[in-house]
Amino acid sequence: MAKLDVLVAEGDTASSSAAELRKELQRLVRSIAEDEDYSPETIDRAREALLALREIKTRRPSSDARSPSLKLLGAATSCPEEYRCPLSKELMRDPVILSTGQTYDRLSIQKWLKAGNRTCPQTQQVLTHTVITPNHLIRGMIAKWCRTQEIELSSDPAPCVDEDRITEANRDCFLSLLSKMSSSIHEQKEAAKELRLLTKRMPSFRALFGESPEAISHLLNPLSAIKSSSTAHLDLQEDLITTLLNLSIHDSNKKLVAENPSVIPLLMESLRSGRITTRSNAAAALFTLSALDSNKELIGKCGALRPLIDLLEEGHPLAMADVASAIFNLCIFHDNRARAVMEGAVRVILNKIESRSYVDELLVILAMLTSHRNGVEEMAELGGVPCLLSVMRETSCSRNKENCIAILHTICSANRTKVKDMREEETIYGTISEISRSGTSRAKRKATAILERLNRAVNLACTA
């Protein structure tokens, strides 16, 4: 096919050009509609044909109207100076910020850096790192200016460098930021904030910590030094704990992070004190680290369940989900269930369920704790039976009903004195009978077993 811009630029009349474009557009659209294996290029060509057809349709003989490409070309000479890239001198399509604070078009500055330059083109300052950040403010201003000038600025993102690949620039930036962790408190805070952002956005920065066994210790140096007065530097604490969370997401880092002797104690300390976002992120870090079975055991032995349960008891909405997830993950390891029971998890969980807070998640944990004898005894003594029966009456969630009836079955089997409470419930509400008819297959089995036990109790009472 002849190039579309040629169709409208070689002196053909508008009518003949429009006719050819319509035919070409029909062919392209038919190809897209009927052929499942059409290529993305076909769509692009159809779009070009539509734009060219629109240009012919709206063109006026006396008009100064130009094609979008010509308008954009003209914009390069008429746009405000602050919207031009200092390197290309053209209107910026994807403005980004260098570490010096100067803004450039992404493609232009990437070419500059790829050529081995390590200075800012405008200020000639040596770059502390070569990570570029989108300048959303300037991009929005350019987009607004283009709309007033009737210029169509492509919204297609510029080609990006593979962020999973570790570059020398990444490594230089990483080492520079780590070195600042032994500098003044001001530099520590700046470096911590930047590492938090980089480890969140770039997988390569998470992987870099795995290359250097000492990197995590260097990262946490400031927290170790100010632990006794961490309230004076809450922002630094939050940035470093959140960086740890970001690192723990990387599968290859989980063992390395958890086995660093400073990490779990500092996470436990951050569960107890700091901003609620810091405390929540500390719980989230323990959750992600506990994905490894060996880490579950290690975290449990370090005593992390106690501060997690305390934070659960506080019940702050921002922390509840992360705390419940961390406790659940840790309790998958059997020995941690005994630790959780010993640290008061049953009482706290029953109180939260009674107040209808995070019922779904906490019922799952409570069901896990029924594998521990002392946990079952506590559930019976602390009003677990009426609490769970009331949840069963109120909830429409089959999973919650199943967990409730499974816990009640264990209590009923371990503590005969609670059979009377269940029999009274059954007489008034028929809750357990309803589960035996309409619950999940597992719930039906547990409910039927409870009903059989209740009936045996009644028969024994009559015989006596």
Side-chain angles (χ1 to χ4, degrees):
M1 164 190 148
K3 287 187 178 179
L4 296 176
D5 56 341
V6 174
L7 288 175
V8 294
E10 288 185 338
D12 296 338
T13 63
S15 57
S16 62
S17 295
E20 290 183 47
L21 281 169
R22 283 196 297 272
K23 288 179 182 179
E24 180 63 20
L25 184 60
Q26 287 174 348
R27 187 186 69 78
L28 292 169
V29 171
R30 192 180 305 114
S31 174
I32 294 170
E34 297 176 359
D35 186 0
E36 293 185 358
D37 294 327
Y38 65 87
S39 66
E41 184 185 352
T42 305
I43 297 177
D44 294 339
R45 288 160 62 189
R47 181 176 178 274
E48 289 174 7
L50 275 172
L51 289 174
L53 192 61
R54 180 179 182 276
E55 185 175 341
I56 291 175
K57 188 72 174 176
T58 57
R59 183 186 297 162
R60 291 188 290 271
S62 60
S63 171
D64 183 49
R66 294 169 290 173
S67 69
S69 57
L70 288 176
K71 284 186 176 181
L72 192 55
L73 185 63
T77 59
S78 64
C79 74
E81 191 64 29
E82 60 268 27
Y83 299 163
R84 299 175 190 269
C85 173
L87 283 172
S88 68
K89 308 301 181 185
E90 296 178 355
L91 181 68
M92 290 186 285
R93 294 171 178 265
D94 189 5
V96 294
I97 305 172
L98 212 51
S99 64
T100 56
Q102 305 299 316
T103 297
Y104 300 89
D105 194 48
R106 182 184 293 273
L107 287 178
S108 298
I109 196 62
Q110 281 181 336
K111 288 178 182 177
W112 169 269
L113 296 173
K114 192 174 181 180
N117 297 298
R118 291 295 178 267
T119 58
C120 173
Q122 280 188 290
T123 66
Q124 297 304 309
Q125 286 178 262
V126 176
L127 301 175
T128 57
H129 61 79
T130 56
V131 178
I132 53 178
T133 308
N135 191 331
H136 297 295
L137 176 62
I138 292 295
R139 185 180 178 88
M141 293 169 67
I142 291 173
K144 184 177 180 181
W145 180 81
C146 286
R147 284 195 296 272
T148 63
Q149 301 296 315
E150 296 183 352
I151 296 169
E152 183 181 346
L153 187 64
S154 172
S155 60
D156 295 336
C160 295
V161 177
D162 181 9
E163 292 188 335
D164 287 323
R165 184 172 60 86
I166 299 174
T167 66
E168 284 305 313
N170 294 153
R171 193 170 280 105
D172 291 345
C173 173
F174 169 74
L175 294 174
S176 171
L177 292 172
L178 272 189
S179 68
K180 292 182 179 180
M181 289 301 162
S182 302
S183 301
S184 67
I185 190 68
H186 176 72
E187 287 196 322
Q188 288 176 358
K189 288 182 176 183
E190 283 192 343
K193 189 171 292 297
E194 191 143 13
L195 280 169
R196 173 182 179 173
L197 294 173
L198 291 172
T199 52
K200 176 183 178 181
R201 185 165 54 90
M202 298 178 67
S204 58
F205 268 80
R206 299 175 208 151
L208 278 167
F209 277 86
E211 289 187 355
S212 174
E214 298 301 317
I216 294 171
S217 296
H218 285 308
L219 173 73
L220 299 177
N221 270 341
L223 278 187
S224 301
I226 65 171
K227 187 166 66 172
S228 60
S229 59
S230 59
T231 53
H233 303 290
L234 295 179
D235 49 350
L236 177 60
Q237 181 194 22
E238 180 179 337
D239 287 334
L240 291 178
I241 292 300
T242 306
T243 300
L244 268 185
L245 168 59
N246 295 339
L247 296 181
S248 67
I249 293 171
H250 198 73
D251 287 340
S252 300
N253 286 343
K254 293 186 190 298
K255 184 176 177 65
L256 178 72
V257 171
E259 292 183 354
N260 183 291
S262 300
V263 168
I264 296 176
L266 285 174
L267 287 176
M268 290 169 58
E269 179 68 25
S270 296
L271 287 170
R272 298 186 182 100
S273 62
R275 294 170 178 159
I276 192 60
T277 49
T278 304
R279 302 172 74 192
S280 177
N281 286 344
L286 289 172
F287 166 67
T288 56
L289 290 172
S290 63
L292 290 183
D293 288 342
S294 60
N295 286 353
K296 290 181 178 72
E297 182 178 9
L298 177 61
I299 294 168
K301 284 182 175 178
C302 288
L305 278 161
R306 174 77 257 179
L308 282 169
I309 292 167
D310 289 343
L311 187 51
L312 179 69
E313 187 170 23
E314 286 185 35
H316 197 290
L318 289 178
M320 286 289 283
D322 290 321
V323 172
S325 297
I327 295 173
F328 168 78
N329 240 20
L330 290 171
C331 285
I332 292 174
F333 182 68
H334 195 273
D335 290 357
N336 284 338
R337 299 178 194 182
R339 295 185 178 105
V341 170
M342 185 173 64
E343 298 294 355
V346 172
R347 176 186 59 81
V348 172
I349 290 173
L350 282 175
N351 287 341
K352 291 300 173 187
I353 292 175
E354 186 70 45
S355 63
R356 299 302 186 263
S357 177
Y358 278 82
V359 173
D360 300 8
E361 296 85 349
L362 297 181
L363 278 174
V364 177
I365 299 173
L366 198 64
M368 294 173 74
L369 298 182
T370 58
S371 65
H372 192 271
R373 180 179 175 181
N374 291 347
V376 177
E377 290 177 359
E378 279 194 48
M379 292 175 206
E381 293 168 2
L382 297 174
V385 171
C387 172
L388 295 171
L389 288 170
S390 67
V391 171
M392 286 168 57
R393 289 195 301 270
E394 295 173 12
T395 187
S396 59
C397 174
S398 58
R399 186 184 180 213
N400 286 353
K401 290 181 179 180
E402 180 182 314
N403 282 323
C404 284
I405 201 70
I407 297 168
L408 288 171
H409 178 265
T410 305
I411 295 174
C412 183
S413 302
N415 191 323
R416 294 181 181 178
T417 64
K418 298 304 171 183
V419 172
K420 180 182 177 182
D421 295 341
M422 295 188 200
R423 187 167 64 242
E424 290 175 356
E425 166 78 18
E426 186 59 22
T427 302
I428 299 172
Y429 299 105
T431 306
I432 300 172
S433 295
E434 175 62 28
I435 297 294
S436 70
R437 292 190 297 269
S438 61
T440 64
S441 58
R442 178 170 177 256
K444 287 178 181 178
R445 289 197 308 272
K446 299 294 184 181
T448 300
I450 293 175
L451 290 172
E452 289 173 355
R453 186 176 289 272
L454 296 182
N455 290 333
R456 283 199 301 272
V458 171
N459 292 337
L460 287 173
C462 292
T463 303

